[in-house]
Amino acid sequence: MAKLVVLSEGFAGKTYELKTDKTTIGRVDDNSFSVPEGSISSHHCEINLKGGKVYVKDLGSTNGTFVNEKQVKGEAILPAGKILRLGQLEIRLETGEKDDDQSDIDKTIVLKAGGVKLGELEKGTQTVSFGKDKPFSKKSNKINSIFIVVGVVLLLVIIGCIVFAVMQLKGN
């Protein structure tokens, strides 16, 4: 079953299953899929299922409807895995099939701490090791142990001072 998954912060993870042939998306509650986000028009766009394909139609929105950063004029196909942007809100169409677009994930390259030089991105992927000498290795608990010992010593000194002060008061 095809579904829309919101990617934008504040709404990330919100989903809507496309169960009917026509779904309206907008800011107000009378839409099939209501998302209360200021950059979305009250009735922003319409999602239509036709012949196994998903189409998006802009409904005269103020901030526009975009499929992979191309503005929708009238109606356009929304391919599985592609990003639908309504104003500032990003939504991905997921069909649950293996053909959902993973190409952007597969092309991820780990960058060096100092940045990259011109031409290094074309070289492809790099192997990353997370051994003990790397910045992401597990840190030693030595600092925690020292902190605890110092805290206990300070606590004992404070208790000793309080006991001494009480003894001095009783002696007077």
Side-chain angles (χ1 to χ4, degrees):
M1 167 89 34
K3 66 180 176 179
L4 300 172
V5 179
V6 180
L7 305 174
S8 297
E9 188 175 342
F11 300 99
K14 183 174 182 174
T15 62
Y16 182 83
E17 287 190 26
L18 300 173
K19 296 178 182 177
T20 61
D21 291 340
K22 178 181 170 183
T23 301
T24 57
I25 303 174
R27 190 177 63 237
V28 295
D29 291 335
D30 66 348
N31 288 287
S32 307
F33 186 31
S34 173
V35 184
E37 208 285 320
S39 67
I40 298 177
S41 295
S42 56
H43 298 95
H44 198 98
C45 70
E46 185 176 277
I47 305 291
N48 295 301
L49 303 177
K50 298 178 193 174
K53 295 190 183 213
V54 179
Y55 293 86
V56 60
K57 178 181 177 184
D58 186 77
L59 298 176
S61 65
T62 303
N63 293 321
T65 300
F66 299 82
V67 174
N68 278 357
E69 297 305 317
K70 292 181 184 174
Q71 188 164 10
V72 174
K73 302 285 185 186
E75 190 173 61
I77 292 180
L78 177 59
K82 298 299 179 183
I83 303 297
L84 171 65
R85 184 168 58 84
L86 313 175
Q88 297 299 313
L89 189 77
E90 290 189 340
I91 301 171
R92 181 178 54 230
L93 173 65
E94 292 183 357
T95 60
E97 296 178 15
K98 196 172 184 176
D99 66 341
D100 281 359
D101 187 19
Q102 295 291 316
S103 60
D104 291 339
I105 294 171
D106 295 338
K107 294 178 186 174
T108 302
I109 297 175
V110 177
L111 300 179
K112 297 180 210 169
V116 293
K117 294 180 180 150
L118 188 62
E120 282 187 344
L121 292 177
E122 287 84 26
K123 289 182 184 176
T125 60
Q126 301 173 7
T127 304
V128 178
S129 171
F130 293 104
K132 290 184 178 181
D133 60 336
K134 300 295 179 187
F136 296 110
S137 64
K138 183 179 177 184
K139 301 296 180 196
S140 143
N141 284 333
K142 186 176 181 180
I143 297 293
N144 290 343
S145 299
I146 292 171
F147 182 73
I148 291 170
V149 169
V150 170
V152 168
V153 169
L154 284 174
L155 182 63
L156 290 174
V157 168
I158 291 170
I159 291 172
C161 289
I162 292 172
V163 168
F164 180 75
V166 168
M167 297 293 275
Q168 290 294 326
L169 288 174
K170 284 185 178 182
N172 289 337

